[in-house]
Structure formats: C-alpha cells, structure tokens
Amino acid sequence: MSFDPLIILSERFKQAIAAAFPDQPASRDADPLITPGRNPQLADFQSNAAMPLGKALGKPPREIASAILAKLDLTAIAEPFTDASIAGPGFINIRLSAAALAGLLGRLDTPSLGIDLPEHPHRIVVDLCGVNLAKQMHVGHLRSIIIGDALARTLTRLGHTVVRQNHVGDWGLNIAMVTAKAQAEHAAGRLSFSDLSLDDLERLYKLAQRECSADERGLAAALRWWAHPKAVAELETQVTGAREELAKAKATLVRLQAHDPETVAAWQRIADITMRACLETCARLHADVRAEHSAGESSYSEELALVVDDLARRAVAEESNGALVVRCEGIDEPCLIRKSDGGFLYATTDMAAIRRRVQKLGASRVIYCVDIRQGLHFKQIFCAAHKAGYAATPTGPALLEHAGFGMVLGEDGRPYKTRTGENIKLTDLIDEAIERAGAVVAAKSPDLPPAERARIAEVVAIAAIKYADLSNDRARDYVFSFDRMLAFEGNTGPYLLYALARTRSILRKAAEQPGGPPAPTQGAGAPLRLTEKHEKELALALLRYPGALRSVAQSLEPHRLCQYLYDLAGAFSAFYTNCPVLTAQGDATRASRLRLCALTERLLADGLNLLGIETVDRM
RNA sequence: GCGCUCGUAGCUCAGUUGGAUAGAGCGGCGGUUUCCUAAACCGCAGGUCGUGGGUUCGAAUCCCGCCGGGCGCGCCA
C-alpha cells in the first residue's frame, strides 16, 4: 500500500463519493481532486470534489461535501472532522494526525525512498544534445543537454528504460561544404588533419558557408537597376565563385554517400574532433551523454530513400509542385519529405528516426528535447509518422512529444551573445561560472583546504548553471545571469546544496560522538515524534516527493521538481533553526530528529541527482 | 496574411491544469548569532494578474475582441 497521502486520500474519497451517491453515474469516475492544502493554517490536504459534483448533480456543494464526509472514514489517518472541515463553497479540509504522519513517513523510509516500480515500465527515447559537426557547443545546446538529461534521469528513476539519442547534425550539404573545404585546405598544405582543433573547424565551417552562398538576388537587382558595371562585375565574380564552391560541396556529398575512403576519412576526422569536444563538455556539465548515445543523421542516410519510397508507394505522401509532401488534417503547411530535385530534408531524417526509435528500439514514448521554435516541424512529423504507421506499437501508438524549450536571453532581454554578437561557447561559460564560484567559496569558507575549495567551486558552479535553467518553465525564454544564479540566495542550486550540506554536517557530528553509528545510519528506525509545527511541516514536505516526480514525468517539466526541492529545503531550514537536533531535550526526540535529517539528506541528494546536480559534504 | 506563444510586485520568476485572502527570491526597511554551517531564519512595505467583454457558485487560469512583445510559416537545418 502506498504511503503517499495524495494516493491514499484519493482512494478513500473515491470510495466515499461512490458510496454517497450510489445511483449517480457522475459519481463513479469523479476525480476526488486532492491537493496539498492551499493554506497550511487550514489543512494539510484538501479535496475540491464537492463543487464539480454539485454542478453535475444539481445540488449545493456543501450538501455534497457533508454527504461525502458521512461516508468517509479517515480515523487511522486524519484528525476528526470538525465544523471547519467543510469550508467556503465546499472545500473539504483534511489534517493528518501526527501518528499517521509518522507512520507514512516510516514507509517512505526505504532504500528506494518509496518510489515503486511501475506495473508496465516503458521504453522511452529521449532526444537530447543535438550538436552539429564543426561547430562549437554554445548556449543553444545548453538547455537540450540539461533538460534532456534531467528528464532522462527522472524517468529512469521511476523505473522506465530510457534510451538517450544524440541526434548529431553530421550529414547533408552543410557538412559536405566544410568537408570539401577541409580537404581543399589539406591539399593546399595549409591544414593538418592530425592537429586540428574545433576552433579551426568552426572557422572553416563559416568560411565554407560564406563561400557557398551566392548573392543571386543582389546580382539580379544590380542588373535590373543598371548598377555600375564594376559593381555588377564584382557580383558576377562572387556568384560564379559561390556556384563553383557549391558544386564542389555537392560532389563531396555524393562521394560521402558512395563511401569514398578519402572523403569519409576527412569527414570522420571532423566528426571525431567535434564529438570529443562535445562529450567532454557534457561530462563537465555532469550530463550523461556518451559516445554510444550518438545516432547522427548520417546513420539514417541509407534509410531515407526506403522511407520516402515506402511513403510514396502507400500513398501516405503525395506530389506537389514536383516535391513529395505528407499532408495532415488540421495542419495547413504540408510536411516536405523530398525536394523537387530529389534531395531529402531534415523532416525525412526525422521520419526515419521515429521509425527506428519505435520499431527497432522499441520505444513507446519518444521525447524530443529541442528548441521550441521547431514546434511546427514536430507537429508535422509526428502527425506524418502516425499517418504512416511508423509510431505504431502492439499496444497502440507511441507517445511522441516535443519537450520544447525557450531561448537563453542576456540581461538586456535579447538572445545571450557576446558583445560582438558571437555565440557564447559553453566551455567559456563553464569556466567563468567556476571562476566566480571559486571567488565566493574562497570568501565564505577560507578555512577549507584549497583542493576541496576547488572541488566545491566546480560543483557549485555547475549546480548554479543547471538549476537556473531547470527551475524556469521549460517552454519559456529565461534570462541568464551569473550574478543571480551565483548569489547563493533564494531559489538557486547553491541554496539547495547548502541545505543538504547542513543535513550532512549534523549527521557527521552525530556520528563523531563516541559509540554512535556511522553518519548514514543516524536515526535509522527511530520512532518519529512529530510534535513541533516545523517537524510536521518537514514530514509533510518529505511525503510529497513521489507526487512531484510523477508530475515531472507526466508534464516533462523539471521546474516542478526544483520547486518541490526548494520547498523541502525551506521546510528543513525552518526546522533547522527552530528544532535543535544534537542538543534536543531527550534521547527520543534527538533520535527522531536525526531520522528526519537523514531522510531529508537522502531525499535532497536523490532529487538533485535527478536534476543532474552533484553534491558536496561541506561548503 | 495565417499560425503559435507570452504579458503577474521596481527586477527575475512560480501559481499543482477552474478553487479559499494571487505566492517566492532579489532589491528596500527592520529584527535574530555565547547554541548543530548567518551561503540561514523571521517580520514589514510593495499587485486593477496588459486591457475590455463573456462563460458560472468561483477566472491569473477557459472563450471572444483590442493593445503590446517574441517566434514560426513546402524545396535550409
């Protein structure tokens, strides 16, 4: 049986509602609408079921509430009902008894912290990171890595099998351009493949982009408006040059597709350099993105023609102005899967990816952690995939979800860039955070050994970056500010690390006393005596953990877990200042409070781990 | 032009899918340390939830109009 008050109360209320109105169909699947009490003064939990039920049955809600209470037996869990139990239009207020609270908390105190395995675990693909070859990782990748990793960790924690997929942009004309450029530079003796950095590659990439983009419109305009012959000549030269470069890139793409060894070797070198840097950065961010998670666009290249033929043959796709499109009801813009020149597009690759993820990897849920501006694109390909049957599983269509995220803005409210308008490299961002965190640690904790201080600065810095990202509504833009995230005040990663460090400090001190058990087992099994207000509130906060995790898994919004952990840390801080632990009056109280500390410690650490945030013992 | 999205305290943001007197943090003012980490805790001030209508017992939340911002709209990814 569950210890989660939300679930227990929901069950009890469901039965009571059914019993109170046995002949009413509306009462059979009425949602008990149990939530934590809006106002802690009035209730620990409340049910809002009476109001909608009153509407459905045409009776006053307070009358409904009385009828529910008459059938409701919560003697083992809650304090007796009073006149105040039914309040306002028909809220039903529930106050858990101290004994019940202690009992429930005791059942949360298991190795898994009360998180039960699901009856039917899912295989879930999480698409995250999504770097491009020959490009530095910048803030545009930050959220995909951080949010995707947190979602993957949370879903894993809930007992699902998660398959991470790094959909690397490693194919297509853009990549062929930089490959061609690198080969040309190599042939000219200006470049050595053996000591090539990602910075070099990015320079080549930009150069190739520029050289391949012809100013056709400029030339047309110049001709139409009888521009100066010299200007026209310059534009003609540019356009001719660009067309040549583009032709070279296309030829390179053909050679890549034909597995030409020399071309593939150059491409592979570019991929290796990029991926090495990518995985290093992910590791610095403590995000679990490894080589085996890479499933680049190149890995689908052989499947694209098959997919397109399949869609055309089964008439899922149709021709339109020479191109092949999939039309979906409710979406005006058709989904292009083949250009009129026969080339494939990124939607083609995404269709192939859905097919593989559901059919080969066995996913019943696919989560795309990608910029929210691609919302229309995902709407299209999800619809197209369903239409094509690619998302079908034996138990019904797989759930395809776009967990889109907003942009990272600077403090001026515009996309976060350097002063010169360049993307900010993630490595620079991380370096700066660590440097700033180091300065604070040195100021606040000068007595700690330098090596430990350095470690703390690193953990705190990454926690600050990630928590700032995760604690904001995923779908919305957020303002990036070192000062705010590293101010160590309020709803920040460092605040949570600090609360956790305080729990550990108490447990450590308790363990240092002669004859005591080691820190992790302090308070283990001690009877919980929840008499003080702050003890009860801490207990209630602890019990809400499973609900918070379920909510994240359903909504794919990690900021709900952040909010929960912040509330928990706040409840602990209040407990900490008001309820002495080591110097508590009486051994029983001391043991009970130690157990509360130990539970808080485990739960905070667990929650932070799900956010992909490492912890420290002291700070 | 069509579509999506946002507008909540001076600033940065929550608001449990329609519920009680709209909450945090920062900033401002004030208080707490011979006592487990003061990177903390407590109190005060600060709001016409962009705006006008509508739906109902009840709206920041749902619907419509308007104002303002952001973004996206077949042959780039």
Side-chain angles (χ1 to χ4, degrees), chain A residues 227-243:
Chain A
H228 193 279
K230 198 174 159 192
V232 172
E234 272 176 14
L235 278 165
E236 274 173 343
T237 310
Q238 193 277 330
V239 167
T240 312
R243 284 176 186 159

Side-chain angles (χ1 to χ4, degrees), chain A residues 362-373:
Chain A
S364 57
R365 192 177 182 187
V366 185
I367 296 165
Y368 288 83
C369 214
V370 179
D371 194 319
I372 200 163
R373 288 175 294 185

